[in-house]
């Protein structure tokens, strides 16, 4: 027996060693999978006597190439490269599949599956959306207000319409004045080119009218048969024409009512809150122009409110005998003026809310008896209400140190109830009805977090200020789980955007709980280029001052290290789109400050994109970034453009995401960038890219699919922190 036991022991040992060897060889094989190496075809790009050599210029494809039934050689090479990057990413992240799945289930598990929106009232009906369990898309519904026994009417069935599409998004839904016709728009490619359909809500049948290549927005005239919409340039995707369509006619017969010839502008159409006027707006970064026609007589000639001027911005709504206008005329932070409908040019404008140096007027809403102002004070959004005669002028009170408030669905014009949404870093989004006379608040719904362990009291938020290199104080909003010790080993994610005057708001995210509950600190840097601290905040982070955006972010990161929140070995940075440009810039400028960076749909090839006016968004963004045909702007852009400034040096771990059908930041920018980074970087840190071959700028459609990428991004950072569960 003893001999047999020894024999069995030896056999078992040999088998175990063989299995271990095979396992190690398999692991070694997985680790040794080589990253894709993109071929190099030097392309000389010359401007202002300067030559840039772009070895990866060949990755750019036209829409025609992408849509061709049979790919040409170049298209196939691009597709092969993108697939290779995805395969490499899958290989590198394979060992995190378990935590990715766990994170995804956590995130989705916190979301109520049979949820419904708070109903809003419009023209005798109550409208809402709802989800049923197992559905990725919403049901769009309504009920008649004056009928207590009214049954639900499903005006649009999202799950049914989405069937068979890898991507599906509903754009605008607009009801005719007589409540019998629905106009709605759909995008099934993710290029933000919408097709408009019409549905008879009485019979449930679709009308034969179909309008293609639109922005997705539809406006009804009051005759219930005429609609206005914006079409897009087939190459640049610029909204450049407004058409009038009469139901029962072909799109080819539609009347062109406005053609925006200036390639630096785009146009759009909307209806005044009073429903009296249809308005066409033309806009670029620093200039706007509006024209109007009566919604009762849509065939009349259009009248211009105030002709466009350089650096003159304004927006318009209607109340009684006046147009009310938010404008920057003699008002850096904007003011509210009014002008008679019979005399609309700027010399007739009279102050309603004068300009203030310390308050930014962001928007306004008119009601029959009240005026509501969305303002920004000390970097935070506020809501101010008053009677038209100025009585009961007050701000709605908010208590969190960092929060955000938004105007909700306020389609009912004749009411004293203001609907708004409130949220903070620790407070789930709440929809609130506010009585503008009595100041009474009614919370209609608070976002439900399906986690028995969740309580907003378990988390702490802070508002601190970093000092920029030029002495300016930069706000930082911070949230973390109560009891977490902040030290040099604490993982911290720093997020920002910092462009277009878009402010990064301190809002709640149930997704983020997966980070906070695992010990991460989450921080938002309110850097210049946004508009948190007023209009000057935006102006000091654009054009020839754009680098302030990047240095502010770095200064915020260094501040958090200095104050003991984290250290460079445990700090992560994240941003998307123009925030991806921010990521690319700080990677080049201060790579040693971050352990990992997530750059989502990153705008990184700034010079080449802004030189190419056939690319969507280029022409009307010259006032944001500058026109590189001007040598001064060319040289300044080139000095910070992430793609042009990749160097042979060590970079931190980097995760890049993009979408093949992205119309905002074309996929080839991140694809070229990762190829150049991989060629030049001198470290062995992770460098991976996730290219979704079915989607565009906003990622996956549907309710839950998008969270797979969120789980991937979180797993990337957690893996670097050694967090396995």
């Amino acid at each position: 027996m003893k001999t047999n036991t020894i024999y069995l022991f030896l056999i078992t040992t040999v088998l175990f060693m063989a299995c271990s060897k095979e396992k190690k060889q398999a692991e070694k094989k997985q680790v040794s999978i080589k990253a894709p190496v993109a071929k190099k075809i030097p392309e000389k790009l010359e401007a202002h006597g300067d030559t840039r050599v772009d070895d990866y210029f060949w990755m750019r494809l036209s829409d025609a190439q992408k849509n061709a039934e049979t790919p040409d050689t170049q298209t196939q090479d691009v597709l092969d490269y993108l697939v290779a990057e995805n395969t490499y990413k899958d290989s590198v992240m394979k060992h995190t599949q378990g935590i990715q799945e766990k994170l995804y289930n956590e995130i989705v598990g916190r979301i109520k599956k049979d949820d419904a929106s708070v109903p809003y009232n419009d023209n005798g009906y109550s409208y809402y959306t709802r989800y049923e369990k197992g559905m990725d898309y919403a049901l769009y519904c309504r009920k008649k207000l004056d009928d207590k026994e009214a049954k639900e009417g499903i005006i649009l069935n999202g799950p049914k319409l989405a069937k068979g599409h890898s991507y599906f998004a509903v754009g605008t839904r607009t009801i005719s004045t007589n409540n019998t016709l629905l106009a709605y728009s759909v995008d099934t490619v993710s290029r933000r080119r919408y097709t408009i359909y019409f549905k008879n809500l009485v019979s449930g049948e679709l009308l034969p009218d179909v309008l293609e290549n639109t922005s997705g927005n539809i406006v009804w005239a009051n005759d219930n048969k005429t609609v206005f919409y914006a079409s897009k340039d087939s190459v640049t995707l610029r909204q450049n024409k407004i058409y009038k369509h009469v139901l029962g006619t072909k799109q080819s017969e539609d009347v062109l009512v406005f053609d925006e010839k200036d390639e630096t502008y785009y146009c759009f159409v909307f209806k005044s809150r009073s429903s009296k006027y249809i308005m066409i707006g033309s806009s670029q970064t620093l200039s706007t122009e509006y024209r109007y026609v009566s919604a009762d007589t849509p065939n009349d000639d259009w009248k211009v409110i105030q002709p466009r001027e350089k650096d003159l911005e304004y927006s318009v709504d209607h109340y009684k005998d006046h147009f009310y206008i938010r404008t920057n005329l003699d008002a850096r932070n904007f003011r509210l003026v009014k002008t008679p409908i019979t005399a609309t040019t700027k010399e007739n404008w009279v102050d309603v809310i004068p300009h203030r140096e310390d308050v930014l007027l962001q928007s306004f809403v008119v009601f029959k008896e009240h005026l509501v102002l969305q303002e920004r004070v000390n970097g935070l959004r506020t809501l101010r209400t008053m009677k038209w005669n100025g009585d009961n002028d007050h701000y709605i009170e908010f208590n969190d140190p960092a929060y955000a408030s938004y105007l909700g669905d306020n389609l009912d014009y004749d009411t004293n109830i203001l609907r708004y949404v409130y949220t903070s870093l620790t407070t789930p989004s709440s929809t609130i009805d506010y009585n503008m006379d009595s100041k009474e608040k009614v919370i209609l719904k608070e976002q439900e977090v399906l986690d028995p362990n969740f309580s907003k009291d378990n988390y702490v938020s802070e508002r601190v200020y970093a000092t920029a290199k030029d002495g300016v104080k930069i706000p930082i909003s911070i949230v973390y789980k109560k009891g977490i010790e902040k030290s040099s080993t604490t993982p911290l994610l720093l997020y920002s955007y910092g462009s277009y005057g878009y402010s990064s708001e301190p809002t709640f995210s149930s997704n983020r709980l997966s980070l906070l509950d695992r010990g991460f600190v989450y921080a938002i840097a309110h850097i210049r280029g946004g508009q948190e601290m007023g209009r000057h905040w935006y102006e000091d982070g654009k054009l020839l001052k754009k680098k302030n955006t990047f240095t502010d972010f770095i200064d915020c990161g260094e501040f958090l290290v200095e104050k003991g929140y984290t250290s460079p070995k445990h700090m992560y940075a994240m941003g998307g789109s123009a925030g991806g440009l921010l990521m690319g810039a700080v990677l080049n400028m201060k790579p040693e400050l971050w352990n990992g960076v997530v750059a989502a749909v990153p705008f990184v090839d700034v010079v080449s994109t802004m030189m190419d006016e056939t690319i969507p968004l280029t022409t009307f963004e010259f006032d944001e970034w500058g026109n590189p045909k001007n040598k001064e702007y060319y040289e300044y852009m080139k000095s910070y453009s992430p793609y042009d400034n990749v160097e042979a040096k060590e970079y931190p771990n980097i995760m890049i995401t993009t979408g093949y059908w992205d119309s905002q930041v074309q996929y080839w920018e991140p694809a070229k960038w990762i190829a150049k980074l991989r060629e030049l970087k001198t470290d062995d840190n992770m460098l991976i890219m996730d290219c979704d071959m079915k989607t565009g700028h906003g990622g996956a459609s549907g309710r839950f699919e998008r969270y797979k990428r969120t789980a991937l991004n979180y797993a990337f950072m957690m893996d670097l922190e050694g967090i396995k569960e």
Side-chain angles (χ1 to χ4, degrees):
M1 284 293 292
K2 187 174 182 181
T3 304
N4 289 340
T5 301
I6 294 172
Y7 178 76
L8 286 171
F9 172 77
L10 291 173
I11 291 293
T12 303
T13 302
V14 170
L15 287 172
F16 175 77
M17 292 176 65
C19 290
S20 298
K21 186 177 181 181
E22 285 181 12
K23 183 179 179 183
K24 287 179 180 179
Q25 286 176 341
E27 290 175 348
K28 186 177 181 181
K29 183 178 180 182
Q30 179 181 319
V31 173
S32 65
I33 291 177
K34 292 184 178 179
V37 177
K39 67 180 180 180
K40 296 168 66 173
I41 304 176
E43 180 85 13
K44 290 186 178 181
L45 305 172
E46 298 180 350
H48 308 294
D50 178 61
T51 300
R52 293 178 301 130
V53 178
D54 187 351
D55 291 327
Y56 306 107
F57 186 86
W58 62 269
M59 291 189 188
R60 180 188 169 172
L61 297 178
S62 66
D63 276 359
Q65 285 174 297
K66 287 200 288 185
N67 285 298
E69 291 186 14
T70 305
D72 58 24
T73 302
Q74 182 187 347
T75 308
Q76 192 60 55
D77 286 348
V78 169
L79 292 172
D80 288 345
Y81 177 69
L82 296 177
V83 169
E85 285 288 0
N86 280 338
T87 301
Y88 178 68
K89 174 262 303 177
D90 290 341
S91 173
V92 170
M93 295 297 290
K94 186 176 182 180
H95 66 286
T96 69
Q97 283 180 346
I99 194 168
Q100 283 187 55
E101 185 175 341
K102 184 173 184 178
L103 287 166
Y104 174 78
N105 289 333
E106 273 183 14
I107 292 167
V108 171
R110 297 189 189 104
I111 301 170
K112 190 176 181 182
K113 305 303 181 293
D114 54 350
D115 204 4
S117 67
V118 177
Y120 64 87
N121 299 337
D122 184 32
N123 197 23
Y125 281 83
S126 173
Y127 291 88
Y128 57 97
T129 59
R130 66 178 181 82
Y131 291 90
E132 293 183 350
K133 287 184 178 180
M135 286 186 174
D136 231 356
Y137 297 90
L139 297 168
Y140 301 87
C141 312
R142 73 173 182 176
K143 289 182 180 179
K144 200 162 180 53
L145 281 172
D146 58 4
D147 183 358
K148 292 182 179 180
E149 303 300 321
K151 294 183 179 179
E152 175 183 82
I154 297 176
I155 62 175
L156 210 58
N157 190 318
K160 185 177 179 180
L161 291 171
K163 195 169 292 185
H165 296 289
S166 59
Y167 179 89
F168 176 81
V170 174
T172 302
R173 306 173 310 283
T174 311
I175 307 290
S176 61
T177 307
N178 62 7
N179 287 318
T180 62
L181 298 170
L182 165 69
Y184 68 96
S185 56
V186 169
D187 174 15
T188 57
V189 177
S190 194
R191 290 285 283 172
R192 301 189 181 182
R193 293 173 68 176
Y194 290 85
T195 300
I196 296 172
Y197 301 93
F198 298 87
K199 182 179 180 180
N200 186 315
L201 295 177
V202 178
S203 68
E205 295 177 346
L206 284 180
L207 276 60
D209 306 65
V210 177
L211 309 178
E212 297 181 330
N213 188 37
T214 80
S215 68
N217 193 42
I218 321 109
V219 176
W220 287 94
N222 292 341
D223 62 3
N224 301 298
K225 66 178 182 180
T226 304
V227 295
F228 295 87
Y229 65 95
S231 69
K232 290 195 167 190
D233 182 279
S234 60
V235 176
T236 66
L237 303 188
R238 181 173 68 96
Q239 295 171 206
N240 61 339
K241 291 181 172 67
I242 304 295
Y243 283 95
K244 177 175 62 179
H245 175 80
V246 178
L247 292 182
T249 64
K250 297 178 181 179
Q251 185 176 10
S252 59
E253 299 171 5
D254 290 353
V255 177
L256 177 65
V257 296
F258 180 68
D259 186 359
E260 181 51 78
K261 300 286 189 184
D262 190 330
E263 292 185 349
T264 66
Y265 285 76
Y266 69 97
C267 59
F268 51 94
V269 62
F270 65 100
K271 203 173 193 177
S272 67
R273 274 182 55 77
S274 65
S275 296
K276 297 287 188 182
Y277 296 99
I278 296 170
M279 297 187 176
I280 293 174
S282 283
S283 179
Q284 56 152 228
T285 307
L286 297 176
S287 177
T288 49
E289 179 183 71
Y290 289 83
R291 59 199 73 228
Y292 68 97
V293 70
S294 169
D296 293 326
T297 54
N299 296 321
D300 285 357
D301 293 333
W302 294 75
K303 298 177 182 178
V304 175
I305 290 177
Q306 162 61 41
R308 66 188 66 183
E309 293 181 8
K310 182 176 172 55
D311 298 329
L312 174 60
E313 298 176 65
Y314 69 97
S315 57
V316 186
D317 208 342
H318 165 249
Y319 180 71
K320 291 187 176 180
D321 297 328
H322 290 80
F323 286 128
Y324 280 72
I325 298 172
R326 172 185 175 266
T327 180
N328 70 341
L329 179 66
D330 302 322
R332 188 186 207 183
N333 278 332
F334 291 84
R335 60 186 172 121
L336 184 65
V337 300
K338 68 177 183 179
T339 192
I341 293 171
T342 55
T344 60
T345 50
K346 64 182 183 180
E347 61 270 16
N348 301 293
W349 296 358
V350 176
D351 271 359
V352 177
I353 303 293
H355 175 254
R356 294 149 295 170
E357 288 293 340
D358 59 343
V359 179
L360 174 67
L361 176 60
Q362 291 196 299
S363 63
F364 68 98
V365 180
V366 296
F367 291 86
K368 186 177 181 180
E369 301 293 339
H370 297 82
L371 172 66
V372 177
L373 306 174
Q374 175 88 70
E375 300 177 340
R376 189 174 287 276
V377 182
N378 296 324
L380 296 171
R381 298 168 72 106
T382 63
L383 290 170
R384 178 183 175 189
T385 80
M386 67 183 74
K387 289 272 199 177
W388 279 109
N389 62 7
D391 289 349
N392 202 18
D393 182 351
H394 66 278
Y395 287 91
I396 299 175
E397 293 184 2
F398 304 120
N399 299 317
D400 287 296
Y403 67 87
S405 58
Y406 301 91
L407 291 167
D409 293 312
N410 288 287
L411 300 187
D412 193 350
Y413 177 71
D414 186 6
T415 180
N416 67 343
I417 301 297
L418 172 71
R419 178 164 295 177
Y420 70 91
V421 176
Y422 177 82
T423 180
S424 75
L425 288 171
T426 59
T427 307
S429 176
S430 297
T431 302
I432 300 168
D433 271 359
Y434 180 78
N435 189 307
M436 293 182 277
D437 295 323
S438 68
K439 302 182 183 179
E440 180 186 3
K441 296 180 183 179
V442 178
I443 299 176
L444 302 175
K445 180 180 180 180
E446 182 175 277
Q447 175 190 348
E448 193 172 348
V449 180
L450 299 184
D451 182 345
N453 298 316
F454 171 76
S455 168
K456 53 190 173 186
D457 295 331
N458 292 339
Y459 304 90
V460 179
S461 69
E462 299 178 10
R463 184 88 159 181
V464 298
Y465 293 83
T467 302
K469 289 180 172 54
D470 58 0
V472 173
K473 297 293 185 181
I474 313 297
I476 308 174
S477 298
I478 300 172
V479 64
Y480 50 88
K481 192 168 185 179
K482 192 177 291 183
I484 293 295
E485 287 191 20
K486 300 182 288 294
S487 70
S488 60
T489 60
T490 304
L492 183 147
L493 174 58
L494 182 62
Y495 169 85
S496 195
Y497 185 77
S499 290
Y500 302 107
Y502 178 83
S503 300
S504 299
E505 306 291 2
T507 59
F508 179 82
S509 168
S510 63
N511 312 337
R512 195 184 300 139
L513 297 176
S514 292
L515 287 177
L516 302 183
D517 290 348
R518 288 175 172 83
F520 270 76
V521 174
Y522 180 82
I524 302 170
H526 302 287
I527 55 183
R528 283 173 284 186
Q531 206 163 231
E532 285 90 335
M533 304 302 288
R535 188 67 173 180
H536 74 284
W537 208 247
Y538 170 45
E539 293 171 351
D540 287 346
K542 61 182 290 195
L543 296 172
L544 298 175
K545 297 180 180 179
K546 188 64 207 169
K547 289 183 184 177
N548 284 338
T549 300
F550 315 138
T551 55
D552 282 358
F553 190 82
I554 291 170
D555 291 337
C556 287
E558 291 178 333
F559 169 85
L560 293 168
V561 170
E562 178 189 339
K563 295 300 179 181
Y565 284 87
T566 188
S567 67
K569 289 184 178 180
H570 298 278
M571 184 155 61
Y572 302 86
M574 178 185 283
S577 196
L581 161 65
L582 169 66
M583 295 299 101
V586 302
L587 275 168
N588 287 330
M589 296 168 70
K590 200 76 173 179
E592 67 275 16
L593 189 57
W594 329 99
N595 188 40
V597 171
V598 177
V601 290
F603 173 41
V604 287
D605 192 12
V606 183
V607 179
S608 293
T609 292
M610 294 306 297
M611 290 285 283
D612 189 343
E613 296 182 13
T614 68
I615 294 176
L617 301 185
T618 295
T619 55
F620 48 83
E621 294 200 351
F622 289 145
D623 286 323
E624 178 71 27
W625 312 104
N627 189 340
K629 291 180 181 177
N630 176 310
K631 185 178 181 181
E632 182 181 23
Y633 286 113
Y634 172 86
E635 291 177 344
Y636 188 75
M637 278 184 199
K638 185 183 175 185
S639 71
Y640 70 74
S641 174
Y643 182 65
D644 291 293
N645 287 280
V646 174
E647 298 177 311
K649 62 184 179 186
E650 292 190 356
Y651 285 89
N653 300 282
I654 303 171
M655 161 77 81
I656 301 168
T657 65
T658 186
Y660 183 62
W661 295 100
D662 196 334
S663 61
Q664 311 300 107
V665 179
Q666 310 289 327
Y667 73 86
W668 60 76
E669 293 199 40
K672 289 174 17 173
W673 184 42
I674 193 171
K676 191 172 183 179
L677 279 167
R678 191 169 282 127
E679 174 195 356
L680 294 178
K681 76 188 190 84
T682 59
D683 57 83
D684 293 323
N685 291 326
M686 264 197 290
L687 176 60
I688 52 179
M689 182 174 76
D690 179 42
C691 179
D692 192 323
M693 303 302 292
K694 297 178 181 178
T695 67
H697 200 64
S701 64
R703 200 174 176 207
F704 304 115
E705 185 70 20
R706 67 190 63 199
Y707 297 121
K708 290 181 179 177
R709 180 170 275 179
T710 304
L712 174 66
N713 291 336
Y714 285 4
F716 166 76
M717 292 181 283
M718 290 178 186
D719 184 50
L720 293 170
E721 285 297 312
I723 299 172
K724 304 299 183 185
E725 296 184 358

